[in-house]
Amino acid sequence: MASKEAKISLKAPKGTRDWSGADLLLRDHVFETISNIFKLHGGTPLDTPVFELKEILAGKYGEEARLIYNLEDQGGELCALRYDLTVPFARWLAMNNVQQIKRYQIAKVYRRDQPAIARGRMREFYQCDFDIAGAYDPIIPDAEILRVIVETFDALGLDITIKTNHRRILDGIFSVAGVPAEKIRPISSAVDKLDKEPWEAVKKEMVEQKGLPEEVADKIGVFVLNRGTIDEMIEFIKADPNLSANEEIKAGLADMDLLSTYSKELGTFDKVSFDLSLARGLDYYTGLIFEVIQKPANTKDQDGTRYPEKSSKNADASAVGSIAAGGRYDNLVGMYGKKQIPCVGISFGVDRIFTILKARRGEKEGRSRQVDVYVMAFGGKEFNGLLLERMSVARQLWEAGIRAEFSAKVKPRLPQQFKAAEEVPLGVILGQDELAEGKVRLKVLGTGKGGKEEEKDEKDQGQLVSRENLVEEVKKLLQTHTLPIR
Amino acid sequence: MASKEAKISLKAPKGTRDWSGADLLLRDHVFETISNIFKLHGGTPLDTPVFELKEILAGKYGEEARLIYNLEDQGGELCALRYDLTVPFARWLAMNNVQQIKRYQIAKVYRRDQPAIARGRMREFYQCDFDIAGAYDPIIPDAEILRVIVETFDALGLDITIKTNHRRILDGIFSVAGVPAEKIRPISSAVDKLDKEPWEAVKKEMVEQKGLPEEVADKIGVFVLNRGTIDEMIEFIKADPNLSANEEIKAGLADMDLLSTYSKELGTFDKVSFDLSLARGLDYYTGLIFEVIQKPANTKDQDGTRYPEKSSKNADASAVGSIAAGGRYDNLVGMYGKKQIPCVGISFGVDRIFTILKARRGEKEGRSRQVDVYVMAFGGKEFNGLLLERMSVARQLWEAGIRAEFSAKVKPRLPQQFKAAEEVPLGVILGQDELAEGKVRLKVLGTGKGGKEEEKDEKDQGQLVSRENLVEEVKKLLQTHTLPIR
């Protein structure tokens, strides 16, 4: 049995990873930054199970449904890992008949996609979602979501562009171009690939795989390859008599008009690009849709271009792809047979954001551990290790809320103790003679480097402090000697 | 399609639940309390994937392995949801060749058990684990784990007993009683049920299901039904010549001697009961094992009994079962074919702890939302809703880090706005005339009750504040008018 077990592959499953140390602290910093913005806007947290009944997920994801992880049928209900946080939120709204809420959720989701770890695309990854549910007036919640996006990336120090489009405008364009109703969603999926593939490849997919007449595909191309500010694009669409006569497009334009007004008031207008090629793969969107990309540092709004051209040579610049995405989904909650609740939301791709921030941080590694005091002991030939005394001092510190450690050896060697005190700002040093007088030595471990340098510095034995005053003196020193986390 | 979807069961999967509002805030309070104690002891966080390769989990859980959730074989690796956080930790240690660490992890685990929701037993539930890995001197880390347990439940305000036993002593007892080596683990599993079933039932399982001769079962009963303080039980075992001659038991007793000394120094001795019936179901434990139960309020250490007798009439008193459990597992990491790393750890059953704390809190419901300011507007017949002005004020507050909301209606009615301001301490009220002078009204919403009471109080229109001073004045008022979370 032992030999068999020695052969197992010692790894996390494909497309997943462990988080620890400085990486985990950086990721938690991202979570905290984002959730603070969510709270600024009145968000309340929600936590749902990691798997849902399969029927809850069915029919919500279009072509992407093939990426859903199913649980094995072991008797009982058929379940699948959640694919996003939106469908579970809609299920929760319908189940509890919640009429309005701003909810946020930070949790892992699962997609059986081909992983691309360097670009932050994993099979298990975190999403941070903020959604506004409720029957409100048009575009007011949508505009607040765009504001949340801008505030979040400002707080993270990332320069971004929000690509937006409107499902009703897009569907209207398909309809004007001559796409039959039943092909609108598949064609929309093809158009959505325009951020990764050139027009020729997308056109080929439409014609060869999805059976669209070539002239219809060409008409689509005339429209969807355009983008600009919200106002520029409203003008562009209105200038085309075929488009502006379409009822769906009219309805979408009314929304975009409001978005222009509101986003100017909320200070987000300049970050938004109205991009007719944005389609979003998911079936459930019904109105405004958006996707956030990082603005490459060398792009300076030349020629009115707000982000890199979609040519292959720019693939590196935005290699991680979209770092947040969302939209309005007014019919999803109603699909569960309950009262319709209109919703709009944004999902932040935290792993991709992490990848960017980590690359920016570069080689600087943060501390992975936060301990205030290391309790150590040393003595001469008769040294018995003073274990019980070290326990007693550690207990005293813990009771005062001070983070303290000591060596779990009966007779630890001095170098071991100094090594273990790496990154710890203060040392309490016990000696038999001092203890007999009820005293200990309290020493600032200086640079926090620990190890040999500290050991050399051994002759500076710190200040002599009585056990009764120890907590007070430690707290005093910690005010000036706590090391930064990052 | 719509009619089909209307029929789906609108629920979370069996044995799982959603968390929101006051429940989620209480649970997060438990997480924060526990992780603060972990940090006090030098713990560093770890996050592992929710599923592992099946072969990683294989052979670690004994009879409980049947409760593991498998993922469907959709091509590629065979995976299963994690059953606990210990095995993933051991995999991580072996994979990264980590020689020593104090790690903690707060995450969900999965068991296809029969749910008992009222008692806090779920199929998806959180564990909070703290483990000390490293080759140290005996029982020093184990004693610190017991200290972590005591500090945690002190911080949560729960009175507890830590039941402890030692795998080598238990195995020695089985051996002395005449249990053949290959039956030790199954018999141990049977003994572990003594906290839920009477001795007769357990004996029946041993004899009828596990084929143990009745006289062997009776001998086991003579020993395992005893418990007391660590010192009492050491004396009890040493007094029996058969037990005290057994090498395994001798080794275990040496550990328990140290535990007695260390737990007195760390102030945990009085919380510990040495209970020979404690067995723990999992295969991987090798030394000290422990399980924490809540001490019923009416038990006052009569007759030396430190917790309720295991009779059915006491089943209610400790209905939630153990609320934390753990032990030493020195061989688990080595099972992955790498260097052995001895470990000891504790896992807190947060959902059960939550159940107890929620029952204690009773009907008092906490706030589920934290907003500082609600921005509202009202006016006469010509009232246009002042939407852009409300957006502008909200933006000003967000930029100052103040949590603010406004109605997402173009012309909200006044009662709606006051209703939405429930639980919000401050209101900023916009009126056309004041805005013309660059001013707004800032009003303390008093009790935070909002709704009709506030509305009646409408004549108190608060103080008139200029837009430039608004942030400053809001911050001043928030210092005295922020409502408590719980």
Side-chain angles (χ1 to χ4, degrees):
Chain A
M1 183 150 166
S3 66
K4 205 199 270 177
E5 282 174 330
K7 276 185 228 153
I8 67 170
S9 33
L10 200 53
K11 60 188 278 294
K14 184 176 178 181
T16 72
R17 60 163 289 188
D18 302 311
W19 291 86
S20 64
D23 274 5
L24 185 47
L25 289 177
L26 177 60
R27 195 194 69 182
D28 284 348
H29 161 71
V30 175
F31 287 165
E32 204 189 336
T33 304
I34 295 180
S35 57
N36 281 341
I37 302 288
F38 292 167
K39 287 177 198 162
L40 210 52
H41 290 263
T44 69
L46 174 70
D47 177 29
T48 62
V50 81
F51 51 83
E52 294 278 343
L53 297 181
K54 275 173 86 164
E55 54 186 342
I56 294 286
L57 305 190
K60 310 299 185 300
Y61 298 111
E63 292 180 7
E64 296 187 25
R66 69 195 153 79
L67 303 179
I68 292 175
Y69 274 98
N70 294 323
L71 293 190
E72 189 179 295
D73 180 3
Q74 293 171 288
E77 301 161 338
L78 295 179
C79 297
L81 297 187
R82 62 183 165 215
Y83 185 81
D84 63 11
L85 303 176
T86 308
V87 165
F89 173 52
R91 191 262 305 150
W92 178 82
L93 284 175
M95 192 175 133
N96 297 286
N97 198 26
V98 174
Q99 291 307 309
Q100 54 184 51
I101 194 168
K102 289 176 178 168
R103 92 83 180 74
Y104 68 91
Q105 183 169 7
I106 298 180
K108 288 172 174 176
V109 302
Y110 300 87
R111 300 184 182 184
R112 292 179 52 259
D113 211 343
Q114 197 51 39
I117 291 162
R119 290 193 267 159
R121 190 171 75 208
M122 304 290 284
R123 290 179 156 195
E124 173 184 68
F125 59 99
Y126 267 95
Q127 285 190 337
C128 294
D129 278 27
F130 180 78
D131 293 77
I132 302 178
Y136 297 116
D137 284 330
I139 303 296
I140 304 177
D142 313 56
E144 184 166 358
I145 294 284
L146 297 194
R147 171 79 199 180
V148 165
I149 295 171
V150 169
E151 285 181 13
T152 299
F153 287 107
D154 273 355
L156 292 169
L158 293 180
D159 199 10
I160 52 121
T161 294
I162 306 173
K163 301 198 282 184
T164 60
N165 197 0
H166 198 292
R167 268 281 163 94
R168 297 182 76 173
I169 292 175
L170 195 62
D171 289 0
I173 287 173
F174 293 143
S175 170
V176 168
V179 178
E182 74 278 8
K183 284 195 175 159
I184 282 187
R185 284 279 72 78
I187 292 302
S188 186
S189 286
V191 167
D192 194 48
K193 294 173 186 156
L194 277 172
D195 60 341
K196 293 172 200 121
E197 296 173 12
W199 166 248
E200 289 69 30
V202 170
K203 180 181 163 187
K204 199 174 165 194
E205 179 181 335
M206 290 179 181
V207 175
E208 293 181 11
Q209 287 175 41
K210 302 195 164 157
L212 201 69
E214 193 172 348
E215 62 276 19
V216 176
D218 284 335
K219 272 191 203 163
I220 292 173
V222 170
F223 300 125
V224 301
L225 294 173
N226 291 285
R227 63 167 173 259
T229 68
I230 302 173
D231 292 352
E232 284 163 5
M233 292 306 291
I234 289 173
E235 205 176 330
F236 168 82
I237 295 168
K238 283 186 175 164
D240 185 301
N242 289 323
L243 295 185
S244 57
N246 179 282
E247 289 302 320
E248 285 296 294
I249 293 180
K250 272 187 197 168
L253 281 181
D255 278 355
M256 297 309 285
D257 266 328
L258 289 174
L259 186 65
S260 168
T261 306
Y262 298 161
S263 65
K264 283 168 189 162
E265 196 62 51
L266 292 175
T268 57
F269 182 87
D270 290 341
K271 301 270 186 180
V272 174
S273 161
F274 186 173
D275 185 329
L276 290 175
S277 76
L278 179 72
R280 306 283 303 127
L282 303 178
D283 274 6
Y284 52 62
Y285 291 118
T286 55
L288 195 71
I289 49 178
F290 31 85
E291 208 170 275
V292 181
I293 56 166
Q294 195 191 5
K295 214 162 161 179
N298 55 354
T299 303
K300 285 183 188 291
D301 287 1
Q302 298 151 331
D303 321 319
T305 307
R306 306 200 60 76
Y307 49 94
E309 288 303 315
K310 279 160 194 157
S311 69
S312 57
K313 73 179 168 57
N314 277 307
D316 290 343
S318 54
V320 299
S322 70
I323 51 181
R328 174 162 285 282
Y329 49 102
D330 283 348
N331 302 332
L332 186 57
V333 180
M335 285 172 84
Y336 296 111
K338 297 274 180 163
K339 194 183 153 188
Q340 203 55 269
I341 304 166
C343 298
V344 59
I346 178 71
S347 176
F348 291 88
V350 196
D351 297 63
R352 292 176 178 189
I353 293 169
F354 169 84
T355 302
I356 295 170
L357 294 181
K358 190 177 173 181
R360 190 176 68 180
R361 187 180 63 184
E363 292 306 303
K364 287 178 288 169
E365 273 285 312
R367 282 174 81 198
S368 59
R369 203 169 60 117
Q370 290 169 273
V371 174
D372 301 317
V373 179
Y374 200 87
V375 181
M376 52 184 91
F378 59 84
K381 275 186 188 167
E382 303 295 303
F383 181 52
N384 70 0
L386 297 172
L387 173 62
L388 297 185
E389 292 77 4
R390 285 183 284 131
M391 284 183 170
S392 168
V393 170
R395 178 184 170 185
Q396 185 189 7
L397 296 170
W398 293 331
E399 282 169 355
I402 295 162
R403 294 168 298 190
E405 286 192 312
F406 59 92
S407 165
K409 296 268 191 182
V410 173
K411 291 187 191 178
R413 292 186 308 120
L414 194 58
Q416 279 177 338
Q417 294 180 81
F418 273 109
K419 173 120 186 54
E422 270 178 17
E423 296 190 321
V424 179
L426 300 182
V428 170
I429 302 167
L430 309 191
Q432 198 67 62
D433 298 343
E434 293 89 339
L435 281 173
E437 297 166 23
K439 289 180 179 164
V440 297
R441 289 192 178 275
L442 175 58
K443 184 178 170 179
V444 175
L445 298 179
T447 59
K449 280 180 195 157
K452 291 218 166 137
E453 279 178 49
E454 296 290 355
E455 210 186 328
K456 270 188 223 153
D457 208 25
E458 190 189 320
K459 281 190 183 147
D460 163 24
Q461 292 196 349
Q463 53 173 314
L464 212 53
V465 175
S466 75
R467 281 290 296 272
E468 299 87 65
N469 297 333
L470 178 61
V471 164
E472 195 186 330
E473 291 298 322
V474 165
K475 284 188 173 169
K476 215 180 283 175
L477 283 180
L478 281 177
Q479 286 176 356
T480 46
H481 290 90
T482 303
L483 300 178
I485 305 177
R486 265 177 301 275
Chain B
M1 183 150 167
S3 68
K4 204 201 270 176
E5 283 174 330
K7 278 185 227 153
I8 66 172
S9 34
L10 201 55
K11 60 188 277 294
K14 184 176 177 180
T16 71
R17 59 162 291 186
D18 302 311
W19 291 85
S20 64
D23 275 6
L24 185 48
L25 289 177
L26 176 59
R27 196 195 69 183
D28 283 348
H29 161 71
V30 175
F31 286 165
E32 203 189 337
T33 304
I34 295 180
S35 58
N36 281 341
I37 302 287
F38 292 166
K39 288 177 198 162
L40 210 53
H41 290 263
T44 68
L46 174 69
D47 177 29
T48 62
V50 81
F51 51 81
E52 295 277 343
L53 297 180
K54 274 174 88 164
E55 55 186 341
I56 295 285
L57 305 190
K60 310 300 185 301
Y61 298 112
E63 292 180 6
E64 295 187 25
R66 69 195 152 79
L67 302 179
I68 292 174
Y69 274 97
N70 294 322
L71 293 189
E72 190 179 293
D73 180 4
Q74 294 170 288
E77 302 161 338
L78 295 179
C79 297
L81 298 188
R82 62 184 165 214
Y83 185 82
D84 64 10
L85 303 176
T86 309
V87 165
F89 173 53
R91 190 263 305 152
W92 178 81
L93 285 174
M95 193 175 131
N96 297 286
N97 200 25
V98 174
Q99 291 307 309
Q100 52 183 52
I101 194 168
K102 288 175 178 170
R103 92 83 180 74
Y104 69 91
Q105 184 169 6
I106 297 180
K108 288 172 173 177
V109 300
Y110 299 87
R111 300 184 182 183
R112 293 179 51 261
D113 212 343
Q114 197 52 39
I117 291 163
R119 290 193 265 156
R121 190 170 75 209
M122 303 290 284
R123 290 180 157 193
E124 173 184 69
F125 60 99
Y126 267 95
Q127 285 191 336
C128 293
D129 278 27
F130 180 78
D131 293 79
I132 303 177
Y136 297 116
D137 284 331
I139 303 296
I140 304 177
D142 314 56
E144 183 165 0
I145 294 285
L146 297 193
R147 171 80 199 179
V148 164
I149 295 171
V150 169
E151 285 180 14
T152 299
F153 287 107
D154 274 355
L156 292 170
L158 294 180
D159 199 11
I160 51 120
T161 294
I162 307 173
K163 301 199 283 184
T164 60
N165 196 359
H166 198 292
R167 267 280 163 93
R168 297 182 76 173
I169 293 175
L170 195 61
D171 290 358
I173 286 173
F174 294 143
S175 170
V176 168
V179 179
E182 75 278 8
K183 284 194 175 160
I184 282 186
R185 284 279 72 77
I187 292 302
S188 186
S189 284
V191 167
D192 194 49
K193 293 173 185 156
L194 278 171
D195 59 341
K196 291 173 203 121
E197 297 173 10
W199 166 248
E200 289 69 30
V202 170
K203 180 181 163 186
K204 199 174 165 194
E205 177 180 337
M206 289 179 181
V207 175
E208 293 181 10
Q209 286 175 39
K210 303 199 162 155
L212 202 68
E214 193 172 345
E215 62 275 20
V216 176
D218 284 336
K219 272 191 205 162
I220 292 173
V222 169
F223 299 125
V224 299
L225 295 173
N226 292 284
R227 60 168 174 261
T229 68
I230 303 173
D231 292 352
E232 283 164 6
M233 292 305 291
I234 291 174
E235 206 177 328
F236 168 81
I237 296 168
K238 283 186 177 163
D240 185 300
N242 290 323
L243 294 184
S244 58
N246 179 283
E247 288 303 319
E248 286 295 294
I249 293 180
K250 271 187 197 166
L253 281 180
D255 278 355
M256 296 310 283
D257 266 328
L258 289 174
L259 185 65
S260 168
T261 306
Y262 298 160
S263 64
K264 283 168 190 162
E265 196 62 52
L266 293 175
T268 57
F269 183 86
D270 290 341
K271 301 270 185 180
V272 175
S273 161
F274 186 174
D275 185 330
L276 290 175
S277 76
L278 179 72
R280 307 283 301 127
L282 303 178
D283 274 7
Y284 52 62
Y285 291 119
T286 55
L288 195 71
I289 49 179
F290 32 85
E291 208 170 275
V292 180
I293 56 167
Q294 196 191 4
K295 216 163 161 180
N298 55 354
T299 302
K300 285 182 187 291
D301 287 2
Q302 298 150 334
D303 322 320
T305 307
R306 306 200 58 79
Y307 50 93
E309 289 302 315
K310 280 159 194 159
S311 68
S312 56
K313 73 177 167 62
N314 277 307
D316 291 342
S318 54
V320 299
S322 71
I323 50 181
R328 174 162 286 283
Y329 50 101
D330 283 348
N331 302 332
L332 185 57
V333 180
M335 285 171 83
Y336 297 109
K338 297 277 179 161
K339 194 182 154 189
Q340 204 53 271
I341 304 166
C343 298
V344 60
I346 178 69
S347 178
F348 292 88
V350 195
D351 296 65
R352 293 176 177 188
I353 293 169
F354 167 83
T355 303
I356 295 170
L357 294 181
K358 189 178 174 180
R360 189 176 67 180
R361 186 180 62 183
E363 291 306 303
K364 285 178 290 170
E365 274 285 312
R367 284 173 80 198
S368 61
R369 203 168 60 116
Q370 290 169 275
V371 174
D372 301 317
V373 178
Y374 199 87
V375 181
M376 51 184 92
F378 58 84
K381 276 187 188 166
E382 304 295 303
F383 182 50
N384 69 359
L386 297 172
L387 174 62
L388 297 185
E389 291 78 4
R390 285 182 284 133
M391 284 182 169
S392 168
V393 170
R395 178 184 169 185
Q396 185 188 5
L397 296 170
W398 292 331
E399 282 170 355
I402 294 163
R403 293 168 297 189
E405 286 192 312
F406 59 91
S407 166
K409 297 269 192 184
V410 173
K411 290 187 190 179
R413 292 186 307 119
L414 194 58
Q416 279 178 338
Q417 294 181 80
F418 273 109
K419 172 123 186 52
E422 272 178 14
E423 297 189 320
V424 179
L426 300 182
V428 171
I429 302 167
L430 310 191
Q432 198 65 63
D433 298 343
E434 293 90 340
L435 282 172
E437 297 166 23
K439 289 179 179 167
V440 297
R441 291 194 176 275
L442 176 57
K443 183 177 170 179
V444 175
L445 297 179
T447 59
K449 280 178 194 158
K452 292 219 168 132
E453 281 179 47
E454 296 290 355
E455 210 186 325
K456 270 188 224 154
D457 208 26
E458 190 188 319
K459 281 188 183 148
D460 165 23
Q461 293 196 349
Q463 52 173 315
L464 211 53
V465 176
S466 74
R467 282 288 299 272
E468 298 87 66
N469 296 332
L470 179 60
V471 165
E472 195 186 330
E473 292 299 322
V474 165
K475 284 187 173 168
K476 215 180 282 174
L477 283 179
L478 281 177
Q479 285 176 356
T480 47
H481 290 90
T482 303
L483 300 178
I485 305 178
R486 265 177 301 276

